[in-house]
Structure formats: structure tokens, C-alpha cells
Amino acid sequence: MAIPSGSGTEVLKRYVQDANSGGYDSLPAVGTNHIHTVLTIIIANTANAVCTLGIAIDTSGDNVDIINNNGGQTIPAYGTFVFSDKIVLHPADVLKIYTSQSSDLHVSYIDQDWT
């Protein structure tokens, strides 16, 4: 993607998933002429068991781990984990969140649009 020039918009958005059943949950792919800056990812473990967490970016078929889901981070039963480091996603990137237990997800991000 070329560096945008000219006017565009920046909108705060969120992605919410209520109690997914575990496994990977993927946000929609970033569209052409968009950049997403992830501000926070909040995961609330809704199960009465320890939850293993993983966060990755799918860059056209290659997963790049932010937090490896093989023991990289755990959330206690009914606990909450907040990831507040910023992540920049370019067109076609997909943010993937893995949880081993049922969990509520909340992702807040800035959508920069130059279409």
C-alpha cells in the first residue's frame, strides 16, 4: 500500500464477541486503503477453568504471533486480561484471537480510511 496522501477519516470502532466457545476468533480483514490501529484488546474468561490466550496477525496466510497460544498467556477462571500495546494492521491483515475457554472479547481500534 502506498503512503496515503490527501484527506481521509479516522473513526474509533470496536469489535465485540459475546462468549465465543473457544478457538480462534477473527476480526474482518482490513480493507483496501484502510489502516487499523488496535488500541486495546480485553478478554474476559467466562469459564470456571484457566484459559490459554493467543493473539496473532494473519498476513496473507502467515500467522505472526503477538502472544503465542502455547502457554504464552493464561487467564484465571472468570478472570480478565487487557492487552494495551498498539498494533498496526495494513490492508488484508486479519487480527486473530485464540482462547481455550469461552470468553467475551472487546477490541477497540482506529479505522483510518483513505478511500
Side-chain angles (χ1 to χ4, degrees):
M1 177 178 141
I3 295 175
S5 62
S7 63
T9 61
E10 291 186 352
V11 178
L12 285 171
K13 293 189 175 183
R14 67 179 179 153
Y15 172 84
V16 178
Q17 176 68 39
D18 183 26
N20 73 346
S21 60
Y24 275 103
D25 192 69
S26 299
L27 280 68
V30 177
T32 303
N33 295 321
H34 286 254
I35 295 173
H36 290 174
T37 303
V38 177
L39 303 173
T40 57
I41 301 171
I42 302 169
I43 300 101
N45 181 2
T46 60
N48 187 19
V50 172
C51 177
T52 301
L53 166 69
I55 299 173
I57 301 171
D58 182 343
T59 59
S60 302
D62 293 325
N63 279 349
V64 176
D65 286 337
I66 303 297
I67 297 176
N68 188 288
N69 66 337
N70 292 320
Q73 180 66 49
T74 57
I75 306 170
Y78 303 116
T80 300
F81 177 78
V82 178
F83 183 86
S84 59
D85 289 336
K86 310 310 176 261
I87 302 171
V88 176
L89 304 171
H90 284 246
D93 287 352
V94 176
L95 181 66
K96 293 183 172 184
I97 300 170
Y98 172 84
T99 55
S100 64
Q101 303 292 334
S102 294
S103 302
D104 289 342
L105 309 174
H106 183 281
V107 179
S108 60
Y109 62 97
I110 299 170
D111 177 14
Q112 295 174 290
D113 180 356
W114 285 280
T115 55

